[in-house]
Amino acid sequence: MVSNEALLMNPERKNRTLLPATSEFLERKTATSRIQFLNDTFDRCKATANTSNPRSMILSGVAGVGKSQTIKRYLKRNSRYKEGYQTIVPVLAVDIPKKATVASLTAEIFRALTGAKVVTGRTDNIAKQIYGKLEKARVELIIFDESQHLLRGSGTTTQDNVDALKEIINELKIPIVLVGMPKTMELLKIKGKFEEEKQLESRCRKNHVLAPYGNNDAGWIEIIEFYQNALNCKANLEALSDAIYLATDGLFRNLSSLFLEAIEIAGSTEAINIKSLTEAYEEYRPQNPLTFNPFKLSAKQLDTEIMNYYGSEETSCTS
């Protein structure tokens, strides 16, 4: 979406590329207190590897709230390294395929661990190889992204997927983190094939919901201050925080898109002002769910629209 929109802007430039200031902005990241909290939570799970009671968890949240960025940051802190000929993988990240089955899930774990593009062979043979490779690579935590894909209706496929995950926890003593959309929490209700088997719920003992910040939360103000300092802004972003919140729903993905467009509109040598933010909103969100542009409203109108759109609903990162 972003690259396509960037190509449409300033059409007189045939080979359209992002401005240097935009590229620099996209490389900058802010570490909020919430990110530190989640890093610590992942660390607690990781610390239980190779014990008799590995601690796993589910991290759920709506699209754009920052789940994937949280994973990337944690992987950067726990990157792979070499010991002789062996690659050590403290934390393994696996993207769960759509319409996941035990076979496709097993293949995806193998790809994530080895880098192989093509995986062939019987699922049970691949699983045996994975077990050996996970042990050699000294994997202490596996993060599964897009975990809602494990849910496959009311059939036995979901049950098989959950049983495959429980086997990793039980047999290899490796804790897992299941990251996905809110629906992911339904995995806790899935029972094993045998009545005496414990559910995944007993293994995921401390689960978290990653929700957008509320417009008055300290974390939201912290983010606004980050953008004020990171960008060449003439506009007072703190004074515009409610307008920015309405424009982005408080989601990191939308914030990035909004300011990307603002930089491109203002240009590398110009400061971002209310005019460029107003135009940026139209660029990044052409199909406006609000039916108005937040940057065209007065403070009183913003207060009214915030209440109309969000009500008194509170948003927070909860356990």
Side-chain angles (χ1 to χ4, degrees):
M1 170 188 167
V2 169
S3 57
N4 288 340
E5 288 186 0
L7 288 169
L8 291 173
M9 295 162 60
N10 294 337
E12 67 276 6
R13 292 175 62 175
K14 293 180 181 179
N15 297 319
R16 187 67 176 94
T17 58
L18 293 176
L19 295 170
T22 308
S23 298
E24 182 183 347
F25 162 69
L26 293 175
E27 292 301 315
R28 297 192 67 169
K29 308 295 180 187
T30 176
T32 64
S33 55
R34 176 184 289 182
I35 293 294
Q36 186 57 53
F37 165 75
L38 291 173
N39 284 339
D40 291 345
T41 304
F42 286 3
D43 280 344
R44 290 192 192 99
C45 292
K46 181 170 171 282
T48 65
N50 303 313
T51 69
S52 60
N53 195 9
R55 170 181 171 171
S56 297
M57 64 171 279
I58 291 178
L59 175 64
S60 65
V62 297
V65 77
K67 301 186 300 295
S68 294
Q69 284 301 319
T70 298
I71 295 172
K72 288 178 182 177
R73 287 171 179 272
Y74 193 71
L75 288 174
K76 193 171 182 179
R77 289 181 60 212
N78 294 272
S79 56
R80 302 181 181 210
Y81 62 93
K82 284 276 191 179
E83 277 192 3
Y85 294 106
Q86 178 63 49
T87 300
I88 307 302
V89 186
V91 179
L92 179 67
V94 179
D95 289 326
I96 295 179
K98 292 181 179 178
K99 298 181 180 179
T101 63
V102 172
S104 64
L105 178 60
T106 302
E108 205 58 45
I109 296 172
F110 191 90
R111 289 191 191 95
L113 187 58
T114 66
K117 294 182 179 180
V118 179
V119 181
T120 59
R122 285 174 42 179
T123 300
D124 54 346
N125 288 337
I126 297 171
K128 289 177 183 177
Q129 292 184 58
I130 289 173
Y131 285 8
K133 290 180 181 299
L134 287 170
E135 189 173 358
K136 286 183 178 179
R138 303 211 295 268
V139 175
E140 298 174 282
L141 183 70
I142 303 178
I143 301 176
F144 291 96
D145 199 9
E146 303 293 350
S147 295
Q148 71 275 3
H149 293 161
L150 292 166
L151 292 160
R152 298 293 304 278
S154 58
T156 60
T157 304
T158 296
Q159 186 182 73
D160 292 339
N161 289 338
V162 169
D163 284 338
L165 296 178
K166 289 193 292 188
E167 191 169 346
I168 290 173
I169 301 171
N170 293 344
E171 299 299 322
L172 299 178
K173 308 300 182 188
I174 299 176
I176 65 173
V177 175
L178 299 171
V179 180
M181 300 290 282
K183 189 177 180 181
T184 304
M185 297 297 290
E186 293 179 19
L187 289 168
L188 297 178
K189 302 175 185 177
I190 307 301
K191 295 183 179 180
K193 288 181 180 178
F194 305 102
E195 193 64 31
E196 64 271 16
E197 287 186 349
K198 291 182 179 179
Q199 301 178 15
L200 193 61
E201 183 178 14
S202 64
R203 295 160 175 84
C204 297
R205 302 193 293 275
K206 191 74 171 176
N207 305 306
H208 298 275
V209 177
L210 190 59
Y213 284 114
N215 64 305
N216 291 318
D217 289 348
W220 175 250
I221 303 304
E222 187 180 350
I223 293 168
I224 293 298
E225 289 175 351
F226 163 77
Y227 283 114
Q228 185 77 61
N229 295 327
L231 298 170
N232 184 20
C233 282
K234 177 183 281 187
N236 182 342
L237 297 186
E238 188 171 349
L240 292 170
S241 64
D242 280 351
I244 296 170
Y245 193 85
L246 268 175
T248 63
D249 292 323
L251 297 173
F252 282 104
R253 182 184 299 168
N254 292 346
L255 277 163
S256 180
S257 296
L258 175 69
F259 285 112
L260 182 153
E261 300 294 352
I263 297 170
E264 290 288 296
I265 290 167
S268 288
T269 60
E270 300 295 329
I272 292 173
N273 56 25
I274 186 66
K275 182 175 181 293
S276 53
L277 285 170
T278 303
E279 293 179 22
Y281 180 75
E282 304 289 351
E283 286 286 345
Y284 116 85
R285 217 167 196 182
Q287 297 186 352
N288 186 351
L290 299 175
T291 71
F292 58 83
N293 189 318
F295 296 102
K296 293 181 179 180
L297 301 184
S298 67
K300 185 176 180 180
Q301 289 172 319
L302 281 170
D303 284 341
T304 300
E305 294 301 337
I306 285 275
M307 183 59 67
N308 288 342
Y309 200 63
Y310 298 104
S312 58
E313 178 182 353
E314 295 186 2
T315 55
S316 60
C317 186
T318 60
S319 59

